[in-house]
Amino acid sequence: ELQNMSSNIPQHKKGQVEATRKPKPRKTQTVFSTTQLATLDTCYRRNNYITTEERNVLAETLHMSVPQVKN
């Protein structure tokens, strides 16, 4: 079925479809301070799994978002 559909596209148009796609813009990488990294490292070394409350406190203390602390 798909082969039949693609054979209906003129040969000169087939490559054109690929060329017009724009690449997705890359997300900017978040840069963490040395203090933030050291604090997170210490916390996660003590306990691999931190509670929601601990995560919220860490995020607020380190001026980060909760997803940044979670990841």
Side-chain angles (χ1 to χ4, degrees):
E1 182 85 16
L2 287 177
Q3 285 180 333
N4 291 340
M5 288 174 56
S6 68
S7 64
N8 293 338
I9 300 172
Q11 195 65 32
H12 69 280
K13 296 262 184 185
K14 285 182 181 177
Q16 207 170 16
V17 174
E18 288 296 318
T20 58
R21 289 188 187 169
K22 293 181 182 176
K24 287 185 179 180
R26 296 184 75 179
K27 285 174 55 176
T28 56
Q29 187 173 358
T30 304
V31 179
F32 298 105
S33 72
T34 306
T35 304
Q36 288 171 323
L37 290 174
T39 304
L40 288 171
D41 188 49
T42 301
C43 182
Y44 279 103
R45 280 180 193 264
R46 259 189 266 132
N47 187 3
N48 276 345
Y49 302 100
I50 62 174
T51 66
T52 304
E53 186 179 338
E54 289 172 317
R55 197 169 26 249
N56 291 337
V57 169
L58 265 174
E60 189 175 328
T61 303
L62 297 174
H63 306 288
M64 298 169 67
S65 68
V66 174
Q68 287 174 321
V69 172
K70 189 175 182 177
N71 294 334

